[in-house]
């Protein structure tokens, strides 16, 4: 963050830390709880704004999984997820699968897609095998 010339406020640091504490995906409420335990002065509106800001900087990525928004520290390269709508299993999907799609959208549609943290829902292999 510092390298990119943005101000690292203690508040932003605290929120980044709170996301890092999460295993992988952390919900807004979880982040809020962790932040609250350290800095009770930060309210939900501030947290929303800061998360938005961190997402814009691509330091944090968010995704809609199982109807809730989750946050995670962005890695070097984007990654995506396959989310089973029956058992909730989540698999990681590498970014290279989307390179072609991105290029296509840009070339043919002049559309610069924000494909930085996709959650694709469906049925996992186990649930597919178990039928219905
Ligand atoms: Zn993720
Ligand atoms: Zn499943």
């Amino acid at each position: 963050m510092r390298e990119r010339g943005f101000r690292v406020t203690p508040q932003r640091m605290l929120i980044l830390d709170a996301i890092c504490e999460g295993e992988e995906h952390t919900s807004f409420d979880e982040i809020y709880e962790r932040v609250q335990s350290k800095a009770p002065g930060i309210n939900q509106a501030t947290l929303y704004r800061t998360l938005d800001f961190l997402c814009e900087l691509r330091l944090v990525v968010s995704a809609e999984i199982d109807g809730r928004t989750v946050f995670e520290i962005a890695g070097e390269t984007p990654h995506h997820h396959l989310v089973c709508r029956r058992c909730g299993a989540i698999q990681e999907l590498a970014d290279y699968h989307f390179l072609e799609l991105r290029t296509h959208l840009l070339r043919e549609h002049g559309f610069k897609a924000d494909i930085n943290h996709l959650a694709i829902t469906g049925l996992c292999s186990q649930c597919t095998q178990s039928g219905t």
Side-chain angles (χ1 to χ4, degrees), residues 44-107:
Q44 296 209 8
T46 310
L47 183 56
Y48 260 120
R49 258 196 322 253
T50 310
L51 284 172
D52 255 3
F53 177 75
L54 294 172
C55 285
E56 259 169 51
L57 295 184
R58 300 278 164 93
L59 286 169
V60 171
V61 286
S62 66
E64 199 75 32
I65 293 181
D66 239 358
R68 55 173 212 164
T69 309
V70 293
F71 299 88
E72 164 179 33
I73 300 289
E76 294 279 297
T77 48
H79 70 272
H80 313 280
H81 298 280
L82 299 176
V83 184
C84 179
R85 67 177 137 78
R86 179 162 310 148
C87 71
I90 299 176
Q91 292 172 59
E92 203 165 305
L93 186 65
D95 187 55
Y96 67 85
H97 300 289
F98 297 99
L99 292 178
E100 209 175 308
L101 177 61
R102 254 193 218 100
T103 310
H104 167 82
L105 292 174
L106 193 60
R107 279 211 197 119

Side-chain angles (χ1 to χ4, degrees), residues 84-87 122-132:
C84 179
R85 67 177 137 78
R86 179 162 310 148
C87 71
L123 283 176
C124 73
S125 58
Q126 284 199 342
C127 289
T128 305
Q129 271 167 30
S130 69
T132 59

